[in-house]
């Protein structure tokens, strides 16, 4: 009998090693397939909105500043944005931007961020004694649900933070020091404006009610160190917001007026979108498997109705309420009392959505005493969700078109028109440009100073100056309210086919000396310099000094 017991123990050990090796092999194969399309130049595709046309360019400027290239300070709105107002300037992971090659920096950042996201969920699921292959699949699901890795650990680092806090209570010596330093490091890579504020508020309730952890002194110390990390990583933004003598443009942010507003209707729309669509595109794809799993266990398996499950469902509903409240006129009175809330985008609580639903799944199956039947159900749902995530990944969903020789989305270098802008840079030198009908962030990405662009923080005074450029042209568009109330995009808005309504002399007075246009402009203050043949026509004009004197 004793020999049989030893044999079973050895067999169990072999099975565990086998499962581990299979999981590692699967993960490595998955990573290879996930990033394989980027080997081909045509498939180096990432989402444009808020990414190529914004954050990637800011990251490049940060990298140039790290390398001591002080002229980079003049790229953002022709020097109107001080270096300390750039998001992620003090985030340690931003050191990846030291690589001069922007594409390589993006890829390395993406790999690091998704790896940390995977590890966090995997360890939490392992801690809850879920099978290793389930832990692996959950980790892959979470890491691929993050659609914007440029925001570093604002979402990706939260599960690992929770795992570290749980393990801190029994850690001693060097292990304890390692955990504390890790918490400080993760916190310093989290954006306070996007998710930092809210994770600081809900992380202790998640530990207390979601994972049934007792609040000890060690845990409090770890939590405070994590919060210190968030502060240190964002201290430049705090300085810009509260200690600088500049009033930032987001203080004018307003909620767009809605007609026939109904709170119940808005709640139904958002709930439906969460299950079937993707309203929270900034950080997570839709998570139908997670929502379906929570709801089905809550409704079908009555004996699994635990306080943990109630907590996570309440948290999700609270999330919906915050989103609705912040995105409608219900929050207007509060915004008037505290306008700085606008600058820190407190409505971005939904950035935590993917984290919360995956934590709920782990806690749910732990409470449900995971068994073989649960394994089959969860594996099926995870496979469905993982397939959905991959289908939503920009560079992967273009592969079928690529194989069939069909037109695919613009890739990284095509978007930035590197070749043509290199020639433009040689012509304009250190003079600033304004873009008409072309994304203005392409210019600074290519080392060209620009008076326009897409930035989260910049002086309100500059916004008012720039409005003189578009005061006539914006009337014929639907962007007037957008520019006034949102304001991130300082663009040369004009009615389609009529760029002549733009005030080019006003552009000259705020620093522009050249115009980069996607089409012909007939205007007495402009003279054509050169036409570039490319995927989209690019024409370079010079603003005539004599015509705009005074």
């Amino acid at each position: 009998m004793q020999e049989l017991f030893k044999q079973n123990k050895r067999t169990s050990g072999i099975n565990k090693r086998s499962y581990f090796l299979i999981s590692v092999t699967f993960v490595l194969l998955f990573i290879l397939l996930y990033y394989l399309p980027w080997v081909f130049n045509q498939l180096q595709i990432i989402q444009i909105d808020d990414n190529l046309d914004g954050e990637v360019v800011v990251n490049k400027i940060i990298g140039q500043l790290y390398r001591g290239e002080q002229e980079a300070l003049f790229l953002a709105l022709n020097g109107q944005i001080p270096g300390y107002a750039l998001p992620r300037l003090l985030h340690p992971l931003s050191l990846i931007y030291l690589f001069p090659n922007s594409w390589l920096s993006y890829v390395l950042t993406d790999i690091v961020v998704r790896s940390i996201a995977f590890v966090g969920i995997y360890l939490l699921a392992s801690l809850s004694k879920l099978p290793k292959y389930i832990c692996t699949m959950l980790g892959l699901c979470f890491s691929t649900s993050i659609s914007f890795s440029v925001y570093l650990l604002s979402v990706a680092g939260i599960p690992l933070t929770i795992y570290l806090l749980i393990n801190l209570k029994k850690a001693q010596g060097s292990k304890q020091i390692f955990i504390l330093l890790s918490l400080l490091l993760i916190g310093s890579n989290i954006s306070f404006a996007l998710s930092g504020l809210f994770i600081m508020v809900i992380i202790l309730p998640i530990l207390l009610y979601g994972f049934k952890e007792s609040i000890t002194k060690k845990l409090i110390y770890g939590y405070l160190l994590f919060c210190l990390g968030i502060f240190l990583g964002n201290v430049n933004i705090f300085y810009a917001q509260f200690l600088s003598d500049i009033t930032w443009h987001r203080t004018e942010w307003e909620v767009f007026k809605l007609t026939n507003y109904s709170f119940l209707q808005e709640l139904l729309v958002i709930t439906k979108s969460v299950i079937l669509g993707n309203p929270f595109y900034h950080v997570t794809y839709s998570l139908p498997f997670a929502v379906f799993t929570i709801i089905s266990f809550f409704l079908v398996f009555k004996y699994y109705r635990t306080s943990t499950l109630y907590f996570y469902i309440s948290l999700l509903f609270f999330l919906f309420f915050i989103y609705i409240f912040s995105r409608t006129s219900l929050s207007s009175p509060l915004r008037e009392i505290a306008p700085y809330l606008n600058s820190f985008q407190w409505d971005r609580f939904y950035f935590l959505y993917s984290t919360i639903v995956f934590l709920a799944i782990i806690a749910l199956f732990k409470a449900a005493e995971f068994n073989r039947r649960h394994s089959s159900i969860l594996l099926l749902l995870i496979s469905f969700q993982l397939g959905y995530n991959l289908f939503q990944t920009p560079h992967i969903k273009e592969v079928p078109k690529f194989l069939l020789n069909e037109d695919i989305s613009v890739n990284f270098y095509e978007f930035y028109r590197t070749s043509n802008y290199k020639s433009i840079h040689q012509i304009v030198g250190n003079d600033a440009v304004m873009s008409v009908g072309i994304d203005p962030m392409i210019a600074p990405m290519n080392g060209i100073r620009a008076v326009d662009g897409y930035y989260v923080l910049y002086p309100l005074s500059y916004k008012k100056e720039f409005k003189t450029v578009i005061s006539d042209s914006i009337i014929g568009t639907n962007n007037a309210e957008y520019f006034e109330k949102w304001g991130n995009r300082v663009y040369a808005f004009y009615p389609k086919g009529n760029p002549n309504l733009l005030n080019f002399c006003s552009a000259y007075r705020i620093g522009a000396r050249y115009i980069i246009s996607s089409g012909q402009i007939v205007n007495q203050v402009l003279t054509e310099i050169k036409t570039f043949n490319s995927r989209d026509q690019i024409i370079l004009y010079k603003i005539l000094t004599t015509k705009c004197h005074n």
Side-chain angles (χ1 to χ4, degrees):
M1 179 66 72
Q2 188 174 2
E3 185 64 31
L4 182 62
F5 174 77
K6 290 181 179 178
Q7 184 178 350
N8 288 336
K9 190 173 182 180
R10 284 197 299 270
T11 304
S12 175
I14 293 172
N15 287 337
K16 285 183 179 180
R17 286 197 298 274
S18 298
Y19 274 123
F20 176 76
L21 290 174
I22 290 172
S23 296
V24 170
T25 303
F26 179 77
V27 170
L28 292 176
L29 182 61
F30 181 87
I31 292 172
L32 175 64
L33 293 175
Y34 186 85
Y35 288 107
L36 182 61
W38 279 351
V39 173
F40 304 92
N41 292 337
Q42 289 173 273
L43 289 172
Q44 291 174 352
I45 297 167
I46 58 178
Q47 186 169 320
I48 294 176
D49 293 340
D50 292 353
N51 211 336
L52 285 177
D53 67 354
E55 304 303 336
V56 171
V57 184
V58 171
N59 293 345
K60 178 182 173 63
I61 295 174
I62 290 173
Q64 289 180 271
L65 293 176
Y66 285 170
R67 295 193 298 270
E69 301 171 18
Q70 292 303 309
E71 62 273 16
L73 285 172
F74 295 95
L75 295 177
L77 299 186
N78 199 25
Q80 295 295 316
I81 301 179
Y84 59 77
L86 295 174
R88 298 178 298 282
L89 180 70
L90 299 182
H91 290 3
L93 280 180
S94 294
L95 289 171
I96 297 175
Y97 309 143
L98 275 168
F99 288 98
N101 186 311
S102 297
W103 171 249
L104 178 60
S105 294
Y106 181 87
V107 173
L108 290 176
T109 301
D110 194 75
I111 291 173
V112 170
V113 168
R114 295 188 192 281
S115 297
I116 292 173
F118 171 84
V119 169
I121 289 293
Y122 180 90
L123 291 176
L124 275 178
S126 298
L127 197 64
S128 299
K129 294 183 169 52
L130 296 182
K132 297 301 180 186
Y133 65 93
I134 293 293
C135 300
T136 300
M137 294 293 283
L138 282 172
L140 290 175
C141 261
F142 179 65
S143 63
T144 55
S145 76
I146 298 170
S147 54
F148 274 45
S149 58
V150 289
Y151 294 128
L152 302 179
L153 303 186
S154 294
V155 171
I158 296 171
L160 185 56
T161 298
I162 293 172
Y163 174 82
L164 292 172
L165 287 171
I166 290 174
N167 279 271
L168 183 60
K169 63 181 181 182
K170 54 186 177 183
Q172 300 292 335
S174 59
K175 184 178 180 181
Q176 178 176 292
I177 294 173
F178 174 78
I179 290 177
L180 291 173
L181 290 177
S182 297
L183 289 169
L184 182 68
L185 183 63
I186 293 173
S188 63
N189 283 287
I190 289 177
S191 169
F192 179 81
L194 300 180
S195 63
L197 171 64
F198 304 106
I199 195 60
M200 287 166 61
V201 172
I202 68 172
I203 197 167
L204 290 180
I206 286 176
L207 286 164
L208 185 62
Y209 300 107
F211 287 88
K212 305 300 182 184
E213 291 294 319
S214 56
I215 305 300
T216 63
K217 285 185 178 180
K218 271 191 176 183
L219 190 146
I220 293 297
Y221 291 151
Y223 166 76
L224 291 177
L225 202 61
F226 171 70
C227 293
L228 176 62
I230 293 177
F231 174 77
L232 293 176
N234 295 273
V235 68
N236 61 311
I237 301 299
F238 289 117
Y239 175 81
Q241 183 69 68
F242 299 112
L243 300 178
S244 169
D245 60 354
I246 300 173
T247 301
W248 296 98
H249 83 99
R250 287 282 295 186
T251 55
E252 284 197 337
W253 196 94
E254 292 183 43
V255 175
F256 291 89
K257 303 299 182 185
L258 299 177
T259 56
N260 301 320
Y261 171 75
S262 166
F263 177 82
L264 179 60
Q265 182 179 359
E266 188 71 10
L267 179 62
L268 291 174
V269 168
I270 291 178
T271 305
K272 178 182 176 183
S273 297
V274 168
I275 298 174
L276 302 177
N278 181 28
F280 312 134
Y281 76 96
H282 279 290
V283 172
T284 179
Y285 299 125
S286 177
L287 297 169
F289 107 86
V291 176
F292 176 79
T293 303
I294 295 173
I295 294 175
S296 63
F297 268 81
F298 180 68
L299 296 177
V300 178
F301 301 101
K302 295 181 179 180
Y303 52 93
Y304 291 149
R305 294 187 183 182
T306 66
S307 58
T308 301
L309 185 54
Y310 282 124
F311 168 73
Y312 278 110
I313 290 176
S314 300
L315 194 57
L316 285 172
F317 274 102
F318 178 67
L319 182 154
F320 297 154
F321 173 78
I322 290 291
Y323 182 76
I324 294 168
F325 178 77
S326 64
R327 301 295 291 180
T328 65
S329 56
L330 290 175
S331 62
S332 295
L334 184 58
R335 293 182 184 279
E336 291 175 6
I337 296 172
Y340 283 120
L341 290 175
N342 301 322
S343 297
F344 285 104
Q345 297 177 273
W346 64 292
D347 55 302
R348 294 300 174 89
F349 183 88
Y350 62 77
F351 267 70
L352 302 178
Y353 175 68
S354 61
T355 305
I356 292 172
V357 290
F358 276 104
L359 295 179
I361 290 299
I362 292 171
L364 171 64
F365 279 91
K366 179 181 179 181
E369 297 180 356
F370 194 86
N371 58 42
R372 184 170 295 179
R373 183 179 61 161
H374 295 158
S375 175
S376 301
I377 295 172
L378 187 55
L379 188 60
L380 178 64
L381 291 171
I382 292 175
S383 299
F384 167 73
Q385 181 63 48
L386 190 56
Y388 182 88
N389 289 357
L390 295 178
F391 177 76
Q392 293 294 327
T393 304
H395 65 271
I396 290 179
K397 67 181 181 181
E398 295 295 324
V399 170
K401 296 180 183 178
F402 176 71
L403 296 175
L404 295 172
N405 291 320
E406 297 179 0
D407 290 336
I408 59 177
S409 299
V410 63
N411 64 39
F412 190 89
Y413 288 104
E414 285 177 340
F415 181 82
Y416 291 121
R417 300 169 171 88
T418 309
S419 177
N420 287 328
Y421 272 73
K422 183 178 181 180
S423 299
I424 292 174
H425 194 188
Q426 291 173 346
I427 296 172
V428 304
N430 289 327
D431 287 332
V433 304
M434 184 176 79
S435 299
V436 176
I438 296 178
D439 195 302
M441 296 298 278
I442 297 175
M445 187 65 176
N446 288 281
I448 300 172
R449 300 180 182 188
V451 300
D452 44 356
Y454 180 18
Y455 300 96
V456 175
L457 290 174
Y458 64 88
L460 177 62
S461 58
Y462 187 80
K463 175 182 173 181
K464 293 179 178 178
E465 283 186 70
F466 190 85
K467 189 178 179 181
T468 62
V469 178
I470 60 174
S471 56
D472 294 329
S473 62
I474 202 171
I475 296 174
T477 72
N478 58 359
N479 292 309
E481 190 177 39
Y482 176 85
F483 180 79
E484 290 289 341
K485 295 182 179 181
W486 194 261
N488 295 56
R489 299 180 190 269
V490 188
Y491 285 11
F493 294 118
Y494 65 93
K496 186 177 181 179
N498 199 358
N500 224 13
L501 289 175
L502 291 165
N503 191 326
F504 295 106
C505 284
S506 288
Y508 180 88
R509 282 188 281 272
I510 63 173
R513 296 297 178 263
Y514 290 88
I515 301 296
I516 301 176
S517 176
S518 62
Q520 289 284 343
I521 303 177
V522 180
N523 193 291
Q524 62 178 354
V525 305
L526 300 181
T527 181
E528 184 175 330
I529 301 297
K530 187 175 181 178
T531 298
F532 298 85
N533 294 319
S534 61
R535 182 174 179 174
D536 298 312
Q537 187 182 41
I538 299 175
I539 306 174
L540 179 65
Y541 294 92
K542 184 175 178 60
I543 304 176
L544 298 173
T545 305
T546 54
K547 297 288 185 179
C548 293
H549 196 65
N550 298 327

